[in-house]
Amino acid sequence: MNAAVRAVVRTGLYHGLEVFGVMRGYSGMVEDDIFQMESRSVANIIQRGGTILKTARCKEFFEYEGRKKAYDNLKKRGINGLVVIGGDGSFNGALKFSKEFDIPCIGLPGTIDKDIAGTDFTIGFDTAVNTAVEAIDKIRDTADAHDRLFIIEVMGRDAGYIALHSGIATGAEHILIPEKKTDIDDVVNSLAEKEKRRKLVNLIVVAEGDEFGGAEEVAKHVKAKLPNVDTRVCILGHIQRGGSPTCLDRLIASRMGYHAVESLLINRHNVMVGIQNNKMHYTQLEYAVKAKQKINEEWMKIVKILAS
Amino acid sequence: MNAAVRAVVRTGLYHGLEVFGVMRGYSGMVEDDIFQMESRSVANIIQRGGTILKTARCKEFFEYEGRKKAYDNLKKRGINGLVVIGGDGSFNGALKFSKEFDIPCIGLPGTIDKDIAGTDFTIGFDTAVNTAVEAIDKIRDTADAHDRLFIIEVMGRDAGYIALHSGIATGAEHILIPEKKTDIDDVVNSLAEKEKRRKLVNLIVVAEGDEFGGAEEVAKHVKAKLPNVDTRVCILGHIQRGGSPTCLDRLIASRMGYHAVESLLINRHNVMVGIQNNKMHYTQLEYAVKAKQKINEEWMKIVKILAS
Amino acid sequence: MNAAVRAVVRTGLYHGLEVFGVMRGYSGMVEDDIFQMESRSVANIIQRGGTILKTARCKEFFEYEGRKKAYDNLKKRGINGLVVIGGDGSFNGALKFSKEFDIPCIGLPGTIDKDIAGTDFTIGFDTAVNTAVEAIDKIRDTADAHDRLFIIEVMGRDAGYIALHSGIATGAEHILIPEKKTDIDDVVNSLAEKEKRRKLVNLIVVAEGDEFGGAEEVAKHVKAKLPNVDTRVCILGHIQRGGSPTCLDRLIASRMGYHAVESLLINRHNVMVGIQNNKMHYTQLEYAVKAKQKINEEWMKIVKILAS
Amino acid sequence: MNAAVRAVVRTGLYHGLEVFGVMRGYSGMVEDDIFQMESRSVANIIQRGGTILKTARCKEFFEYEGRKKAYDNLKKRGINGLVVIGGDGSFNGALKFSKEFDIPCIGLPGTIDKDIAGTDFTIGFDTAVNTAVEAIDKIRDTADAHDRLFIIEVMGRDAGYIALHSGIATGAEHILIPEKKTDIDDVVNSLAEKEKRRKLVNLIVVAEGDEFGGAEEVAKHVKAKLPNVDTRVCILGHIQRGGSPTCLDRLIASRMGYHAVESLLINRHNVMVGIQNNKMHYTQLEYAVKAKQKINEEWMKIVKILAS
């Protein structure tokens, strides 16, 4: 996200605007934790994980009083436009705020789950999925040396993209995602059959939001039916949220940040800046909600064939 | 490339085909270094850099005699379709071969330079550019600690994509690419002006095929005009060609390999399998040559604004 | 471990010996899964995680019958010396085997826990601890952005070295290890006091074998007493066992492998090859058991001072 | 180095001292670029490459006037002890300064070349050598795929440690270092012989300070005698100086920084804090100069045997 912050700041300054940073999301707006930013404020941050502006949930912003306080804090500095990086929760807040106080908002899609309608890329997804792949590669070394079955849980409460991409990229035998019902008996039978053929490295990648409730639950099913298989569970967890961003994430964040400011300048208000088919694509914030993505059936077929 | 080999082998086997591997490109075809592949032959390779089939230039394949030998070696094994991973040189050979001997060929775009018409992605580019970014991040640590100017040369004889993407992603002040004329005086003046402002980290990223002839030449120009600036040259070189592939490269390689075999099966012959706007896109091999890409002018503008 | 295998093979061949590889530890000896190795068998493996010889537990080797079978399989190939890479379990097996069948054994310390007497280094420890550090660095990005407390569990059932080293290297506030009793009230009070001072990044690193029973249990204690602190648990798990080895691990493995063969040749039998104070150090296998290490008190003091 | 700075600051504060940071080495002392540091000043830096205090050469400090200015700047803040991180150049400056102005100095060995007498570890070496190993691993992928000879230059003007360690760890066939004369004809003959046996991956690692003058010069010799071998040169350069430090470097830097302050407090003055045989070891600054290290002959033998 730092790359997006940097792009917003420098594009704003280039156009002669004053640019302010708000700490910890809406909390900083409500609590007046706001500071003026110069070009130097964003020097040497493009390669860093996390975000220099920090992040937090803010209950007060759900209430009118909280939003009024936030508005007053912006107003007294003459701030008349807002760029919000986040997911659909943040966008809903922005939309409400914008309507009540006539401050135009621009949204940038910043979620590692990639499940936002109106954009092919979200900031952080490529980094998260590469971190998952590197971790699974390491686990595969052990899986291979020990002839073990590893059931690996990756992030994704409502979306299976991290599981799908990291699973294909590491040659997982099965990928369990929320978007698709899994017949656990099929999975177990296929494992049993592979065990007979002594096909030895077995990886199952599970999104945390899968219908079975994560890797531990899947492992219970497998162990119940295949007690002889040496089965281990790994939950990758928060390592997926940090780390130096990939080139792609830095590029799309820079590009989106640039266009966020450009949008404010031409009065293209209350949109999310996305990228579709390599072109900038603008979605009204009310539609930029968590998307019901359809997982491409072809991918599931490729998983099956390539892992054979 | 191993991910593509794996996908071709397993998709072929899935459809009941026999699949053979040819070592060292056309050399292996001419010298009969060909072996039958099973599912197990491509186990545990998706995460490895390089290619298990190795690669080489083959002079004999330029001559009819060489190609005839190659054909005989395929024929005696009953091989009646070819999947070639490479750039336009490989595709030209495949095309000629295919016309002379009636063997259908499918091309997969495998070049780190990304300069092939008919596809948004080439296998290896994302890995190369992320390797470049990681290396430049490390150099930046020194640039920052010493207040030095680093002029960094990345790969790209005819194409500036690695330079452009890695330069933006690392916040380079200037990016010099073959596709665009650079006014070196502008560069030097901008550096001189920044030195006055004591803006301290300075990175210039140069594609090896840039008009000045690479980083050393650019450094000579800079030193001639700014003798007091502590200037260093780094040529990243072959580290960009190796290393464990990124998630994206493994995914597109898997997808392209799958569709290469599918294409052979439905008699979609002598095409390059590409991806455009997230969809499979097939280009006749004669058109899948090194593309004259136009660099998006917007990118150059973003470079200028964000590095300020 | 591949670096050690490579060193043993090539040093043996250099001295004109025949060298055999045994798959999956003692299982391969019992089941006759043994193959002759050439110089080429170990080419291009030094950088790979895991082990090409795989590993497994072997119940049959606990019984005399199993060991007799193993001996017969060695004998029929004329194998008259054994190099065993592992921990004290493997060494006990080797010792018993060696006494019963007059086959000299050499042990190499291969455990990521580093808790073997007679050597400052064990093969795999440096790689495991660096993997832990990289993972915790990523988690710290999130901890920092969210002002959260992360309780991170690393490997180490009986030994706290991975926890101690990775904890100091990532600036953890508290490090909980099996070798030392922890007063959980002290930990909680110190967190409470830091929260007041708004010192924000809080990391606690816990060895899995710590007296409280791992990170989940520690988290329960903390949450019970500090319900307002946003606390998360991460269990790093098996990523610590894989991955390309560090320079140090490759070096010590090469050096130990070389000296394992040299030891066989000069009839220095039934020892573990270790390194102490930068010099080779040989320990009789019966003493090379899991060491009761004393954790240097100075380290615990440094942890306290530096995390303040 | 940031880990050392952090340790000095926090240990000083723990003992109730005031601690100041000096920017850009002796330059900051001369130019009065000095600032008071708190615990928070060194938060979240242990994982970062480079140094937050920056570094520079300072000509004025060679002259008495410069040192007098520096002294006055320290004096007016009541600074009465100095911790210097660097190599023998920095230590000589510190020694002179200390004698002239009665300010006790403590040296910490901070050089990636590892060639300082009185310590087994220098801050930065382990990170540099692991970076070199990772880069050479990537180059090896290409070397392997293309059957090429790569001649790789690593840092080390007077010392061959980076070359020796990274060369062994990557299985280089030859390692050329300043400490040892190389018979280039031997190298060429061995390559010629290997070419006949079609042993294909060939890596030569050369320290920049080798007698032949670096990798380019070695390549000229090889090409002159083996014109048919496809030979490439890679100069790793400044990537070796940056990057997030390894666990070992963070640990020794923390430990040395802690003992630097402890030394000042007990009036153990004008020493370099080193580690030998896992124990703290203190060397008078006048002896902590660039060491004439003897390269262990055993290592050279191991190189020869293992690369065969």
Side-chain angles (χ1 to χ4, degrees):
Chain A
M1 299 208 177
N2 284 327
V5 174
R6 174 176 174 269
V8 169
V9 171
R10 294 205 169 156
T11 307
L13 295 174
Y14 173 81
H15 285 299
L17 305 177
E18 281 186 288
V19 185
F20 293 85
V22 178
M23 294 302 290
R24 289 168 298 114
Y26 296 129
S27 305
M29 270 168 62
V30 174
E31 299 166 16
D32 202 21
D33 197 355
I34 299 172
F35 66 107
Q36 188 153 6
M37 297 184 84
E38 306 159 70
S39 181
R40 194 167 281 230
S41 318
V42 292
N44 217 5
I45 66 167
I46 198 170
Q47 78 280 15
R48 289 205 203 138
T51 156
I52 57 165
L53 296 181
K54 301 193 174 225
T55 181
R57 306 244 158 126
C58 177
K59 282 184 202 158
E60 286 180 278
F61 201 73
F62 283 105
E63 310 298 327
Y64 178 81
E65 276 75 49
R67 292 193 296 273
K68 178 69 171 67
K69 260 168 128 180
Y71 172 74
D72 293 340
N73 288 326
L74 298 187
K75 214 60 210 170
K76 76 178 179 203
R77 286 183 179 78
I79 295 172
N80 50 21
L82 201 63
V83 178
V84 175
I85 312 177
D88 60 351
S90 312
F91 295 166
N92 283 332
L95 201 57
K96 202 161 225 173
F97 184 67
S98 159
K99 282 180 183 163
E100 286 171 348
F101 299 103
D102 198 31
I103 297 254
C105 295
I106 304 291
L108 299 188
T111 154
I112 65 168
D113 285 348
K114 203 176 109 103
D115 60 339
I116 289 189
T119 187
D120 295 338
F121 301 102
T122 61
I123 300 168
F125 173 76
D126 192 56
T127 303
V129 83
N130 273 293
T131 300
V133 164
E134 278 169 39
I136 300 173
D137 281 349
K138 286 184 209 283
I139 293 168
R140 170 201 279 278
D141 286 339
T142 304
D144 183 43
H146 285 267
D147 296 346
R148 273 184 191 156
L149 170 65
F150 274 91
I151 304 178
I152 299 163
E153 182 178 310
V154 297
M155 285 192 160
R157 259 184 227 156
D158 308 291
Y161 282 102
I162 293 182
L164 187 64
H165 287 218
S166 67
I168 296 175
T170 56
E173 265 82 10
H174 298 279
I175 301 174
L176 277 56
I177 56 178
E179 291 89 342
K180 214 176 148 60
K181 275 222 144 187
T182 307
D183 184 337
I184 195 79
D185 291 327
D186 271 6
V187 172
V188 172
N189 292 339
S190 133
L191 291 172
E193 188 237 343
K194 271 170 195 164
E195 217 209 343
K196 268 187 231 142
R197 288 191 288 135
R198 298 206 84 182
K199 182 176 184 295
L200 304 161
V201 182
N202 279 304
L203 298 174
I204 297 179
V205 174
V206 183
E208 61 182 330
D210 177 69
E211 65 200 279
F212 292 98
E216 291 285 7
E217 295 306 310
V218 174
K220 276 182 204 160
H221 276 85
V222 172
K223 281 177 195 164
K225 302 195 176 172
L226 296 174
N228 293 326
V229 174
D230 186 2
T231 303
R232 302 293 164 105
V233 167
C234 282
I235 297 171
L236 295 189
H238 280 84
I239 58 169
Q240 296 164 82
R241 289 196 179 276
S244 184
T246 60
C247 185
L248 183 62
D249 266 335
R250 301 185 197 183
L251 281 179
I252 60 161
S254 298
R255 203 173 166 193
M256 288 173 174
Y258 168 80
H259 284 286
V261 176
E262 297 286 329
S263 292
L264 279 177
L265 288 173
I266 63 167
N267 296 320
R268 189 197 293 122
H269 289 166
N270 301 332
V271 295
M272 182 193 76
V273 177
I275 299 175
Q276 272 190 343
N277 295 337
N278 294 325
K279 292 198 189 66
M280 303 316 296
H281 182 85
Y282 302 91
T283 308
Q284 287 301 313
L285 275 183
E286 51 253 71
Y287 300 119
V289 291
K290 207 168 267 198
K292 293 263 179 282
Q293 308 266 1
K294 284 180 210 154
I295 293 287
N296 194 329
E297 282 300 316
E298 190 187 271
W299 277 123
M300 300 312 289
K301 201 173 165 189
I302 291 180
V303 171
K304 213 164 189 173
I305 292 174
L306 297 195
S308 64
Chain B
M1 298 205 178
N2 284 328
V5 173
R6 174 177 174 268
V8 169
V9 170
R10 293 204 168 157
T11 307
L13 295 174
Y14 173 80
H15 285 300
L17 306 177
E18 281 186 289
V19 185
F20 294 86
V22 178
M23 296 300 293
R24 289 168 296 113
Y26 296 129
S27 305
M29 271 168 62
V30 174
E31 298 166 14
D32 202 21
D33 196 354
I34 300 171
F35 66 106
Q36 188 153 7
M37 297 185 86
E38 307 160 70
S39 181
R40 194 167 281 233
S41 318
V42 292
N44 215 5
I45 65 166
I46 198 171
Q47 77 280 18
R48 288 207 203 135
T51 156
I52 57 165
L53 297 181
K54 299 191 173 227
T55 182
R57 307 244 158 126
C58 178
K59 282 183 202 159
E60 285 179 278
F61 200 75
F62 283 105
E63 310 297 327
Y64 177 81
E65 276 76 48
R67 292 193 297 272
K68 180 69 172 67
K69 261 166 126 179
Y71 173 73
D72 292 341
N73 288 327
L74 298 187
K75 212 61 211 171
K76 76 180 179 201
R77 286 182 178 81
I79 294 170
N80 50 21
L82 202 62
V83 178
V84 175
I85 311 175
D88 61 351
S90 312
F91 294 166
N92 283 333
L95 201 58
K96 202 161 224 173
F97 184 68
S98 160
K99 282 181 181 159
E100 285 171 348
F101 299 103
D102 198 31
I103 297 253
C105 295
I106 304 290
L108 299 188
T111 155
I112 65 168
D113 286 347
K114 205 177 109 109
D115 59 339
I116 288 189
T119 188
D120 294 338
F121 300 102
T122 60
I123 301 167
F125 174 75
D126 193 56
T127 302
V129 83
N130 273 293
T131 300
V133 164
E134 279 169 38
I136 299 174
D137 281 349
K138 286 185 208 286
I139 293 168
R140 169 201 279 280
D141 286 338
T142 305
D144 183 44
H146 285 268
D147 295 345
R148 274 181 190 159
L149 170 65
F150 274 91
I151 303 178
I152 299 164
E153 183 177 310
V154 298
M155 285 193 161
R157 261 185 225 152
D158 309 293
Y161 282 101
I162 293 182
L164 187 64
H165 287 220
S166 67
I168 294 174
T170 56
E173 264 81 10
H174 298 278
I175 301 174
L176 278 56
I177 54 177
E179 291 88 343
K180 214 175 149 60
K181 276 222 144 187
T182 306
D183 184 336
I184 195 78
D185 290 328
D186 271 6
V187 172
V188 172
N189 291 340
S190 132
L191 291 173
E193 189 238 342
K194 269 171 195 164
E195 218 208 342
K196 266 186 234 143
R197 287 192 288 136
R198 296 205 87 182
K199 181 175 185 296
L200 303 161
V201 183
N202 280 304
L203 298 174
I204 298 179
V205 175
V206 183
E208 61 183 328
D210 177 71
E211 65 200 282
F212 290 98
E216 291 285 7
E217 295 305 311
V218 173
K220 276 183 204 160
H221 276 84
V222 171
K223 280 178 196 164
K225 300 195 177 171
L226 295 174
N228 292 328
V229 174
D230 186 2
T231 303
R232 301 293 163 106
V233 167
C234 282
I235 296 171
L236 295 188
H238 280 82
I239 59 170
Q240 297 164 81
R241 289 196 179 277
S244 185
T246 60
C247 185
L248 183 61
D249 265 335
R250 300 184 198 187
L251 280 179
I252 59 161
S254 298
R255 201 171 168 196
M256 289 173 174
Y258 168 80
H259 283 286
V261 175
E262 297 286 329
S263 293
L264 280 175
L265 288 172
I266 62 166
N267 296 319
R268 190 197 292 122
H269 289 166
N270 300 331
V271 296
M272 183 192 78
V273 177
I275 298 175
Q276 272 190 343
N277 296 338
N278 294 325
K279 293 197 188 65
M280 302 316 297
H281 183 85
Y282 303 90
T283 308
Q284 288 300 312
L285 275 183
E286 51 254 70
Y287 300 119
V289 290
K290 205 167 268 198
K292 293 262 179 283
Q293 308 268 2
K294 284 181 210 153
I295 293 287
N296 194 327
E297 282 300 317
E298 190 187 270
W299 276 124
M300 300 311 289
K301 199 173 164 190
I302 290 180
V303 171
K304 213 164 187 172
I305 292 174
L306 297 196
S308 64
Chain C
M1 298 205 177
N2 285 327
V5 174
R6 174 177 174 268
V8 169
V9 171
R10 292 203 169 157
T11 307
L13 295 174
Y14 173 80
H15 285 299
L17 306 177
E18 281 185 289
V19 185
F20 293 85
V22 179
M23 296 300 293
R24 289 168 296 115
Y26 297 129
S27 305
M29 270 168 63
V30 174
E31 298 166 16
D32 202 21
D33 196 353
I34 299 171
F35 65 107
Q36 188 153 8
M37 297 185 84
E38 308 160 70
S39 180
R40 194 167 282 231
S41 317
V42 292
N44 216 6
I45 66 166
I46 198 171
Q47 78 279 19
R48 290 206 203 136
T51 155
I52 59 165
L53 296 181
K54 301 192 173 224
T55 182
R57 306 242 159 126
C58 178
K59 282 182 202 161
E60 286 180 277
F61 201 74
F62 284 104
E63 310 298 325
Y64 178 82
E65 276 75 49
R67 293 194 295 274
K68 180 68 171 67
K69 260 167 126 179
Y71 173 72
D72 293 340
N73 288 326
L74 298 187
K75 213 61 209 170
K76 76 179 179 202
R77 287 182 178 81
I79 296 171
N80 51 21
L82 202 61
V83 178
V84 175
I85 312 175
D88 61 350
S90 312
F91 294 165
N92 283 332
L95 201 58
K96 202 161 225 174
F97 184 67
S98 160
K99 283 179 181 161
E100 286 171 347
F101 299 104
D102 198 31
I103 296 253
C105 295
I106 304 290
L108 299 188
T111 155
I112 64 168
D113 285 348
K114 203 177 108 109
D115 60 339
I116 287 189
T119 187
D120 295 338
F121 300 102
T122 61
I123 301 167
F125 174 75
D126 191 56
T127 303
V129 84
N130 274 292
T131 300
V133 165
E134 279 169 39
I136 299 173
D137 281 348
K138 286 184 209 285
I139 293 168
R140 170 201 278 281
D141 286 338
T142 304
D144 182 44
H146 285 267
D147 295 345
R148 274 183 190 157
L149 169 65
F150 274 90
I151 303 178
I152 299 164
E153 182 178 311
V154 299
M155 285 193 161
R157 260 184 226 152
D158 308 293
Y161 282 102
I162 293 182
L164 186 64
H165 287 220
S166 67
I168 296 175
T170 56
E173 265 81 10
H174 298 279
I175 302 174
L176 278 56
I177 56 177
E179 290 89 342
K180 213 175 150 60
K181 275 223 144 185
T182 307
D183 184 337
I184 194 79
D185 291 327
D186 271 6
V187 172
V188 172
N189 291 340
S190 133
L191 291 173
E193 188 237 342
K194 270 171 195 165
E195 218 209 343
K196 266 187 235 145
R197 286 192 288 136
R198 298 205 88 183
K199 182 175 185 293
L200 303 161
V201 183
N202 279 304
L203 297 174
I204 297 178
V205 174
V206 183
E208 62 183 328
D210 178 69
E211 65 200 282
F212 291 98
E216 291 285 7
E217 294 306 310
V218 173
K220 277 183 205 160
H221 276 84
V222 171
K223 281 177 196 166
K225 302 196 177 172
L226 296 174
N228 293 327
V229 174
D230 186 3
T231 303
R232 302 293 164 104
V233 166
C234 281
I235 297 171
L236 294 189
H238 279 83
I239 58 169
Q240 295 164 83
R241 288 195 179 277
S244 185
T246 60
C247 185
L248 183 62
D249 265 335
R250 300 184 198 186
L251 280 179
I252 60 161
S254 298
R255 201 171 167 196
M256 289 173 173
Y258 168 81
H259 283 285
V261 176
E262 297 286 329
S263 292
L264 281 176
L265 288 172
I266 63 166
N267 296 320
R268 190 195 292 123
H269 289 167
N270 301 331
V271 296
M272 183 193 77
V273 177
I275 298 175
Q276 272 190 344
N277 295 338
N278 294 326
K279 293 198 189 66
M280 303 316 297
H281 183 85
Y282 302 91
T283 308
Q284 288 301 311
L285 276 183
E286 50 254 71
Y287 301 119
V289 290
K290 205 168 268 198
K292 292 263 178 284
Q293 308 268 1
K294 286 180 208 153
I295 293 287
N296 195 327
E297 281 301 317
E298 190 186 271
W299 276 124
M300 300 312 288
K301 199 173 166 190
I302 291 181
V303 170
K304 213 164 188 173
I305 292 175
L306 298 196
S308 63
Chain D
M1 298 206 177
N2 284 327
V5 174
R6 174 176 174 270
V8 168
V9 171
R10 293 204 169 157
T11 307
L13 295 174
Y14 172 81
H15 285 299
L17 306 177
E18 282 186 287
V19 186
F20 294 85
V22 178
M23 295 301 291
R24 288 168 299 113
Y26 296 129
S27 305
M29 270 168 61
V30 175
E31 298 167 15
D32 202 21
D33 197 354
I34 299 172
F35 65 107
Q36 188 152 9
M37 297 184 85
E38 307 159 69
S39 181
R40 194 166 282 231
S41 317
V42 293
N44 216 5
I45 67 166
I46 198 172
Q47 77 281 17
R48 290 206 201 136
T51 156
I52 57 164
L53 296 181
K54 299 192 176 228
T55 182
R57 307 245 158 123
C58 178
K59 283 184 202 157
E60 285 180 278
F61 200 74
F62 284 105
E63 310 297 327
Y64 178 81
E65 276 76 47
R67 292 193 296 273
K68 178 69 171 68
K69 260 167 124 178
Y71 173 73
D72 293 340
N73 289 326
L74 298 187
K75 213 61 209 169
K76 76 179 180 203
R77 287 184 178 79
I79 295 171
N80 50 20
L82 201 62
V83 178
V84 175
I85 312 175
D88 61 351
S90 312
F91 294 166
N92 283 333
L95 201 58
K96 202 163 225 172
F97 184 67
S98 159
K99 283 180 182 161
E100 285 171 347
F101 300 103
D102 197 33
I103 297 255
C105 294
I106 303 291
L108 299 187
T111 153
I112 64 169
D113 285 349
K114 203 176 109 106
D115 59 340
I116 288 189
T119 188
D120 295 339
F121 300 101
T122 60
I123 301 167
F125 174 75
D126 192 56
T127 302
V129 82
N130 273 293
T131 300
V133 164
E134 279 169 39
I136 300 173
D137 281 349
K138 286 185 208 284
I139 293 168
R140 171 201 278 278
D141 286 338
T142 304
D144 182 44
H146 285 267
D147 295 345
R148 273 182 191 158
L149 169 65
F150 273 91
I151 303 177
I152 298 164
E153 183 177 310
V154 298
M155 285 192 161
R157 259 184 226 155
D158 308 292
Y161 282 102
I162 294 182
L164 187 64
H165 287 219
S166 67
I168 296 175
T170 56
E173 265 81 10
H174 298 279
I175 301 174
L176 278 56
I177 55 177
E179 291 89 342
K180 213 174 148 62
K181 274 221 146 188
T182 307
D183 184 337
I184 195 78
D185 290 328
D186 272 6
V187 172
V188 172
N189 291 340
S190 133
L191 291 173
E193 188 238 343
K194 269 171 194 165
E195 217 209 342
K196 267 187 231 143
R197 289 191 288 136
R198 297 207 84 183
K199 183 177 184 294
L200 302 162
V201 183
N202 279 303
L203 297 174
I204 297 178
V205 174
V206 183
E208 61 182 330
D210 177 70
E211 66 200 279
F212 292 98
E216 291 285 6
E217 295 306 310
V218 173
K220 276 182 203 161
H221 277 84
V222 171
K223 281 178 195 164
K225 301 196 176 171
L226 295 173
N228 293 327
V229 173
D230 186 1
T231 303
R232 301 293 164 104
V233 167
C234 281
I235 297 171
L236 295 188
H238 280 82
I239 58 170
Q240 294 164 84
R241 288 196 180 276
S244 185
T246 60
C247 184
L248 182 62
D249 265 335
R250 300 185 198 185
L251 280 179
I252 59 161
S254 298
R255 202 172 167 194
M256 289 174 173
Y258 168 80
H259 283 285
V261 176
E262 297 287 329
S263 291
L264 280 176
L265 288 173
I266 62 166
N267 295 321
R268 190 196 293 122
H269 289 167
N270 301 331
V271 296
M272 183 192 77
V273 177
I275 298 175
Q276 272 189 343
N277 295 337
N278 294 324
K279 293 198 188 66
M280 302 317 296
H281 182 86
Y282 302 91
T283 308
Q284 288 300 313
L285 275 183
E286 51 254 69
Y287 300 119
V289 291
K290 205 168 267 200
K292 293 262 178 284
Q293 308 267 2
K294 283 180 211 155
I295 293 289
N296 194 328
E297 281 301 315
E298 191 188 90
W299 277 124
M300 300 312 289
K301 201 174 164 190
I302 291 180
V303 171
K304 213 164 188 173
I305 292 175
L306 298 195
S308 66

